[in-house]
Amino acid sequence: MFSCRRLGGGLVQAGGSLRLSCATSGFTFDSYAIGWFRQAPGKEPEGVACIGSSDEGTTYYADPVKGRFTISSDKDKNTVYLQMNSLKPEDTANYYCAAESLGNDAILCLGYGMDYRGKGTQVTVSS
């Protein structure tokens, strides 16, 4: 199960920042790759940022967000975060978190495997 939250308002101006959190339960957090996806109206889902299992210890970022977004996790809270800085209007989308049981960040973010996903939260960036 996933519980996604925005830490801050869902509407932000371009150049602003927003932090998302996703509390998880029902699976072994340390063993899974956890990540953030987004889907804008009329577009395919996109893996934005993913973090591998504790054994993998790697992260994957989609090119459009590199240098602006940071994924992190708190294993004690089974929670994954997405810090989004320098937001752009093209970042507007529904953001949701997902998990993959092989524990590989790239497999998850590139869409080759997904075992669980949450419903998401809307992020709107105005110009």
Side-chain angles (χ1 to χ4, degrees):
M1 188 174 98
F2 294 84
S3 176
C4 296
R5 294 177 56 201
R6 286 190 309 264
L7 301 176
L11 176 61
V12 64
Q13 287 189 331
S17 297
L18 203 58
R19 193 182 192 205
L20 306 180
S21 71
C22 182
T24 72
S25 63
F27 60 93
T28 306
F29 187 85
D30 280 0
S31 300
Y32 279 63
I34 310 288
W36 289 93
F37 284 70
R38 67 185 180 186
Q39 187 169 18
K43 293 189 177 181
E44 292 293 316
E46 176 186 28
V48 174
C50 296
I51 188 166
S53 66
S54 296
D55 290 341
E56 292 275 342
T58 53
T59 55
Y60 173 94
Y61 292 95
D63 286 343
V65 307
K66 282 181 181 176
R68 300 188 297 121
F69 290 12
T70 303
I71 187 171
S72 61
S73 65
D74 184 334
K75 294 176 176 53
D76 291 335
K77 297 181 179 179
N78 288 355
T79 298
V80 62
Y81 302 94
L82 184 68
Q83 178 67 42
M84 304 185 292
N85 298 328
S86 302
L87 283 161
K88 303 175 181 180
E90 51 264 43
D91 294 319
T92 295
N94 181 61
Y95 284 73
Y96 58 93
C97 52
E100 180 277 321
S101 61
L102 293 178
N104 185 277
D105 51 297
I107 286 177
L108 176 59
C109 258
L110 293 174
Y112 296 119
M114 181 185 294
D115 295 278
Y116 305 105
R117 63 157 287 179
K119 290 182 180 179
T121 185
Q122 180 66 30
V123 172
T124 302
V125 184
S126 63
S127 57

